[in-house]
Amino acid sequence: MADLNELKYTYSLRLGDDAWILSHRLSEWCSNGPFLEEDLALTNLALDLIGRAQGFYKYAAELEGKGKTEDDLAYRRNERQYFNHLLVEMPNGNFADTIARQLYVSVFEYYFFNELKNSSDETFAALAAKTLKEVKYHMAHAVDWTIRLGDGTEESHWKMQRALDSLWMYTGELFEMDEVDNELLQQCIAVDVIALKAKWQEHIERVLKQATLKQAEDAYMQTGSRKGIHTEHLGHMLGDMQYLQRAYPDAKW
Amino acid sequence: MVVADKTKEDILKLLSQIADPEIPVVTIQEIGMLRDVNISDDGIEVIITPTYTGCPAMGIIEADIKALLHEHGYDATVKLVYNPAWTTDWMTDEAKEKMRKYGIAPPTHSSCGDIAAAEAEIACPQCGSKNTEVVSRFGATACKALYKCNSCKEPFEYFKCH
Ligand SMILES: [Zn+2]
């Protein structure tokens, strides 16, 4: 069995990566939002996620004990060393694509952090309690927009439906457990995500019904991110995100 | 360094004059961010907690704390803790009233579970009318939402309950 600190390091890194990569995606909306208030909303979500990533990266660095900072973890790794879910690296696409991604992710995170706040690890529990308060607002934002677009015009309806359908294949991964999850679950540190699947699905179904949209049909589910296997999109994104730190190592403001 | 002549209460009192950089009418103590002070042979350690995980004001607050204590001849370290998670329940009534006078509707409900219910009856800080509506849940800072008053027609910010 791997050392407990090593397992917690991996777990914290994964949670940091999920927040960090989604944060960067949302920040790409800055100055491109459909209107000013929405531009602010999306960048507000991005800011919450940066803060969350910082918390989990700090803890990961502490557990690793090699004197790294949260910035080293954010900027100094290659594609294969990131463990975020594939769903959060999906490009923004049009506004409906972004909202569909936000809906799937935020409903999942709502149930996830609701469990993680009871973790026997104090730091995970504290970060989860904090995050949960923020996620409630993220979820409300995604749900409102899903209903507004789904039950909106003919065009907004089909765009929303297409977005939900095309992202569906990346949602299967959210409910996978590997050896890290299982070993930490035995110690009451990690969340049993398999047990969250039914609640998540029911919640999504309820929202989609109200939005006059259909649940995507079950299809092949893509997987791999927890092993560092990503879609083509992550590398491009990291190229953009890490440019400054790579070109000017240790650059400071 | 000599800290023996000061008690924890003295230091807390000193720090309680530091204003929140984003809402300068209230202090970091009134808003509930200043949690504790530890005095040991190693010096002064100030414990603060963020309102939001990504609150960009934390860096400024840390610098303000260090600068103020330095002015009084102390070197301090500032530690950020997440546990227990900050809640708007820690905001004092005085702070809420100052905020309202400043033009920001203070948080009403205590650590709400139901966002929609909490948003339903926000009183306008200008005229007091509860005939108000949300323009956007996300304002100029993470902690505030944008509202408009249907009675006096003024836009205003609401400090979200958290
Ligand atoms: Zn009014």
Side-chain angles (χ1 to χ4, degrees):
Chain A
M1 189 182 99
D3 166 57
L4 182 64
N5 266 9
E6 226 175 285
L7 292 168
K8 290 204 289 191
Y9 162 78
T10 306
Y11 202 69
S12 204
L13 193 65
R14 289 173 177 182
L15 291 170
D17 285 346
D18 278 332
W20 180 236
I21 299 300
L22 185 59
S23 164
H24 190 80
R25 275 291 180 233
L26 288 169
S27 74
E28 290 171 357
W29 275 105
C30 185
S31 81
N32 294 307
F35 51 90
L36 183 62
E37 285 78 9
E38 190 49 35
D39 206 293
L40 280 175
L42 292 168
T43 43
N44 257 285
L45 302 183
L47 187 60
D48 282 349
L49 286 156
I50 289 180
R52 190 201 305 175
Q54 195 179 20
F56 283 109
Y57 281 160
K58 247 187 196 162
Y59 189 41
E62 194 185 305
L63 289 162
E64 193 191 23
K66 290 183 184 164
K68 281 190 202 158
T69 68
E70 61 266 35
D71 285 347
D72 295 329
L73 290 175
Y75 295 110
R76 302 275 175 90
R77 283 179 293 147
N78 294 321
E79 186 194 352
R80 286 286 184 101
Q81 294 162 322
Y82 278 83
F83 303 106
N84 57 280
H85 287 123
L86 301 173
L87 184 58
V88 299
E89 72 197 40
M90 286 298 124
N92 287 337
N94 63 36
F95 189 63
D97 294 320
T98 291
I99 293 303
R101 191 184 62 204
Q102 284 304 110
L103 180 74
Y104 288 152
V105 172
S106 63
V107 173
F108 171 75
E109 290 184 337
Y110 172 72
Y111 289 105
F112 181 87
F113 288 107
N114 201 34
E115 292 297 323
L116 191 66
K117 77 176 195 306
N118 303 321
S119 173
S120 67
D121 181 276
E122 265 180 36
T123 307
F124 282 141
L127 285 167
K130 187 87 207 137
T131 297
L132 185 63
K133 286 163 177 270
E134 299 174 354
V135 165
K136 279 184 190 170
Y137 282 94
H138 298 197
M139 187 166 77
H141 172 263
V143 167
D144 281 359
W145 270 114
T146 301
I147 294 167
R148 192 164 156 190
L149 295 175
D151 197 13
T153 66
E154 205 179 305
E155 187 180 349
S156 72
H157 178 90
W158 76 256
K159 281 187 173 167
M160 194 63 212
Q161 188 64 59
R162 187 184 59 180
L164 290 162
D165 293 346
S166 63
L167 289 175
W168 183 252
M169 66 185 290
Y170 301 106
T171 60
E173 255 201 341
L174 301 174
F175 308 99
E176 282 175 6
M177 301 279 285
D178 70 358
E179 63 284 358
V180 176
D181 296 286
N182 284 322
E183 289 204 20
L184 290 177
L185 179 61
Q186 280 177 15
Q187 321 243 9
C188 301
I189 294 171
V191 174
D192 180 2
V193 287
I194 294 171
L196 301 182
K197 193 174 182 179
K199 286 185 203 167
W200 177 83
Q201 215 151 3
E202 253 171 60
H203 199 123
I204 297 285
E205 248 176 58
R206 210 160 54 232
V207 175
L208 296 189
K209 202 172 166 198
Q210 210 186 333
T212 72
L213 293 159
K214 281 199 285 289
Q215 177 102 5
E217 274 170 42
D218 264 325
Y220 168 74
M221 288 290 182
Q222 184 67 273
T223 180
S225 67
R226 289 327 199 193
K227 293 189 173 66
I229 313 292
H230 291 274
T231 65
E232 68 188 275
H233 305 294
L234 185 68
H236 292 285
M237 182 180 150
L238 293 180
D240 183 30
M241 185 175 90
Q242 297 182 334
Y243 174 79
L244 195 105
Q245 279 298 326
R246 298 281 191 189
Y248 305 96
D250 297 322
K252 291 253 184 305
W253 285 111
Chain B
M1 184 176 46
V2 187
V3 286
D5 60 323
K6 290 279 181 199
T7 65
K8 176 171 163 169
E9 283 66 36
D10 293 332
I11 301 294
L12 277 170
K13 203 175 160 200
L14 193 61
L15 294 173
S16 69
Q17 60 181 279
I18 295 176
D20 178 335
E22 285 176 348
I23 309 170
V25 288
V26 297
T27 69
I28 58 168
Q29 187 253 333
E30 288 171 320
I31 212 162
M33 273 190 266
L34 179 60
R35 300 308 299 158
D36 207 357
V37 164
N38 296 320
I39 299 177
S40 68
D41 293 341
D42 301 330
I44 299 175
E45 184 187 50
V46 180
I47 313 283
I48 54 172
T49 194
T51 51
Y52 280 70
T53 51
C55 179
M58 295 317 285
I60 299 168
I61 292 170
E62 187 178 332
D64 285 350
I65 290 172
K66 285 183 178 168
L68 180 72
L69 291 177
H70 190 75
E71 243 174 67
H72 287 79
Y74 309 117
D75 280 328
T77 53
V78 177
K79 193 177 165 198
L80 197 66
V81 296
Y82 291 97
N83 192 24
W86 177 82
T87 155
T88 40
D89 292 358
W90 294 346
M91 225 180 263
T92 62
D93 287 342
E94 291 86 346
K96 288 186 184 180
E97 185 52 24
K98 282 188 205 168
M99 211 179 265
R100 196 188 58 75
K101 284 189 179 142
Y102 187 61
I104 299 171
T108 46
H109 288 239
S110 59
S111 355
C112 52
D114 184 355
I115 295 174
E119 279 171 349
E121 42 184 57
I122 305 306
C124 166
Q126 311 290 342
C127 73
S129 165
K130 284 195 175 177
N131 182 12
T132 60
E133 62 180 282
V134 193
V135 176
S136 173
R137 282 206 180 95
F138 303 91
T141 65
C143 52
K144 288 174 281 177
L146 295 175
Y147 270 71
K148 69 174 173 189
C149 175
N150 293 325
S151 299
C152 73
K153 312 291 180 200
E154 286 287 329
F156 66 91
E157 289 183 305
Y158 161 59
F159 199 109
K160 292 183 269 193
C161 78
H162 211 64

